[in-house]
Amino acid sequence: MAIFPKFSKKRDGVNIINEQRLLQAVNHLILDSQRCTGCGICAESCPEDAITVSMVGATKRKNAIDYAAPVNIDEVKCSYCGVCVVMCPFNSLTLKIDGEERLPIVEKEGFPQYDMLAKIDDEKCVRCTTCEDVCPRDAIDRDVPAFEGTVEDGRKRQTALTTKTTFEVDTEKCTVCGICGSLCPAIDVKRKAFSAENGKVEGDVIWDEKLCDACKVCVEACPEEAITVNREVEAKKLPGKVDIIEDDCCTCRWCATNCPTEAITVEKIFTGDIEFHAEKCPGGCSTCAEICPAHAIYLPSPSPAAQMKGQKEANIAVNKDLCILCGACVNACPGEDIIVLKRTGIRMKGKETDLFNRIKAKLFTPRTSKVKEDVKPGEVELKALEHA
């Protein structure tokens, strides 16, 4: 006789699938280990303490181990409530009930959701490539045609702008010499049949607007100065559209900060502060910089020796304007008290329930990295600090 519930865990590519099989339903909590950054927010949010932070640095650094995930989920302790799915800022967790993606806790208004504000003003956007290039999470959808300047078979660059081109031939000056037609595929010089009756060369100059790129070579080459070409730009904006993929956006504001036309508005999910005590960092590690999902941590450029008299050069730093306060760096840091994280606010929408308020209190607890030898292998323990 089958005894329910039954639990299992399996790996399918980058996905780790935790299963709870009940008598009348099957629940799956799926972790995308590639999307997961090891921020640990799911572990702090789990009402059952079923999630633990794993070897973040080892799993997220390039060329490191690929057989483990940044977090471990206990498939037996997990209640499959979906709180971790809601709170994961990187959308690396999915809850499926009988094969369908659902979040009953949200459907029943038992838990709020992130209030994402990440948008692009289409009127201001000029379709440049800046936001796409700087985004650390590939969250920009730049749906703009490729032109010949970037790909071999791209669209002609002259079609990038909306223009109106006019072409005129002064028939009094034109001798129908055929030079313009021999130079340009947009021009066809059609001569009338030659006849000894008048002994003249006569004909017409036919112009195809679709083939003309208004280069004006015909104007310059015409020996009689009989051709006039004018090109009026009606719209300078490139065709297409640029959007932010909310599911991939981590609200780091790289795009908003660097948009040349100030077309992008992004509000961070978390507010607070982060401190780097570079004097405690042993140097040569750079784990935090490598795993930071927002590319907010960097190795400072060396300063001139003349400017460093009596000072110790910092070997690690963070750009607070770009930091999203996710905590991945704190979890990955192998040192102690080097990085201190303090969250003070979360952008949420919906009813803030008692459960959420308890989780918020945990998220707002200042913490720092801590090395402890008695921690189970493959787990990370953080040192909670007193509230300021």
Side-chain angles (χ1 to χ4, degrees):
M1 182 176 179
I3 300 176
F4 293 94
K6 292 182 176 181
F7 303 96
S8 66
K9 183 195 294 280
K10 68 177 181 180
R11 187 171 189 124
D12 182 10
V14 298
N15 292 327
I16 298 174
I17 305 171
N18 303 273
E19 180 181 273
Q20 179 196 58
R21 188 172 291 272
L22 304 173
L23 186 60
Q24 295 183 332
V26 178
N27 299 320
H28 290 110
L29 181 60
I30 305 168
L31 170 68
D32 185 330
S33 61
Q34 195 168 58
R35 288 179 70 98
C36 177
T37 65
C39 69
I41 290 175
C42 59
E44 298 173 66
S45 303
C46 180
E48 306 298 335
D49 294 326
I51 306 177
T52 54
V53 178
S54 182
M55 301 174 289
V56 178
T59 56
K60 297 309 296 182
R61 288 187 71 165
K62 295 178 181 178
N63 302 320
I65 63 174
D66 59 2
Y67 56 82
V71 297
N72 291 320
I73 301 174
D74 188 323
E75 71 276 13
V76 177
K77 290 176 67 176
C78 177
S79 64
Y80 298 82
C81 64
V83 168
C84 59
V85 179
V86 177
M87 294 302 296
C88 177
F90 302 101
N91 287 289
S92 60
L93 286 159
T94 304
L95 178 63
K96 289 188 176 182
I97 301 175
D98 291 333
E100 179 185 354
E101 287 189 28
R102 288 185 55 199
L103 286 171
I105 196 169
V106 174
E107 296 167 8
K108 297 176 181 178
E109 299 184 354
F111 206 84
Q113 292 178 285
Y114 286 126
D115 184 12
M116 287 288 295
L117 178 55
K119 62 182 181 180
I120 299 178
D121 186 332
D122 190 60
E123 292 298 317
K124 293 182 179 180
C125 177
V126 294
R127 320 285 193 259
C128 72
T129 62
T130 300
C131 60
E132 183 182 39
D133 291 340
V134 301
C135 179
R137 305 296 297 173
D138 294 328
I140 302 296
D141 178 17
R142 186 174 180 271
D143 186 15
V144 177
F147 293 92
E148 58 185 346
T150 55
V151 294
E152 185 176 349
D153 58 346
R155 287 172 51 171
K156 295 293 184 182
R157 59 184 177 276
Q158 291 82 5
T159 65
L161 307 179
T162 303
T163 62
K164 178 65 178 177
T165 303
T166 57
F167 176 90
E168 295 179 0
V169 176
D170 187 334
T171 56
E172 294 295 324
K173 295 181 178 180
C174 180
T175 61
V176 202
C177 67
I179 290 178
C180 57
S182 67
L183 294 173
C184 179
I187 300 174
D188 185 12
V189 178
K190 292 188 175 182
R191 295 192 179 102
K192 296 179 181 178
F194 302 124
S195 172
E197 184 176 349
N198 58 27
K200 293 182 179 181
V201 175
E202 297 178 326
D204 297 305
V205 177
I206 309 300
W207 173 70
D208 188 340
E209 182 179 2
K210 294 180 180 178
L211 298 177
C212 179
D213 60 10
C215 67
K216 295 189 179 183
V217 170
C218 59
V219 176
E220 301 296 333
C222 179
E224 304 299 330
E225 299 182 354
I227 301 175
T228 301
V229 174
N230 289 313
R231 183 170 183 255
E232 181 182 350
V233 178
E234 297 178 337
K236 293 184 177 181
K237 189 175 293 188
L238 298 181
K241 189 176 179 64
V242 183
D243 283 316
I244 296 175
I245 306 170
E246 282 195 3
D247 284 350
D248 294 331
C249 177
C250 67
T251 69
C252 63
R253 302 194 75 254
W254 265 99
C255 58
T257 301
N258 290 281
C259 178
T261 59
E262 299 182 350
I264 303 177
T265 302
V266 175
E267 293 290 341
K268 291 186 180 182
I269 293 175
F270 294 103
T271 55
D273 191 30
I274 190 167
E275 299 174 2
F276 272 60
H277 297 283
E279 71 280 2
K280 298 180 181 180
C281 179
C285 169
S286 73
T287 297
C288 58
E290 286 192 39
I291 65 96
C292 177
H295 294 178
I297 304 172
Y298 61 97
L299 306 180
S301 301
S303 300
Q307 298 178 11
M308 295 302 296
K309 186 177 181 180
Q311 300 180 35
K312 182 179 179 181
E313 190 170 60
N315 49 29
I316 197 72
V318 61
N319 185 328
K320 294 185 180 183
D321 291 335
L322 304 174
C323 175
I324 59 177
L325 304 174
C326 69
C329 57
V330 179
N331 295 340
C333 180
E336 185 172 356
D337 297 337
I338 297 173
I339 307 173
V340 179
L341 174 68
K342 301 175 183 177
R343 302 187 189 103
T344 56
I346 315 178
R347 283 183 60 91
M348 303 296 291
K349 60 182 178 182
K351 182 181 178 181
E352 295 194 3
T353 59
D354 290 341
L355 173 60
F356 171 74
N357 286 327
R358 290 196 299 272
I359 291 171
K360 182 168 69 171
K362 291 175 66 176
L363 292 171
F364 284 5
T365 302
R367 76 284 314 282
T368 182
S369 53
K370 182 179 182 180
V371 177
K372 286 192 69 176
E373 294 183 0
D374 58 347
V375 174
K376 294 179 181 178
E379 292 187 7
V380 171
E381 181 170 332
L382 301 180
K383 181 165 68 177
L385 305 175
E386 294 296 327
H387 282 279

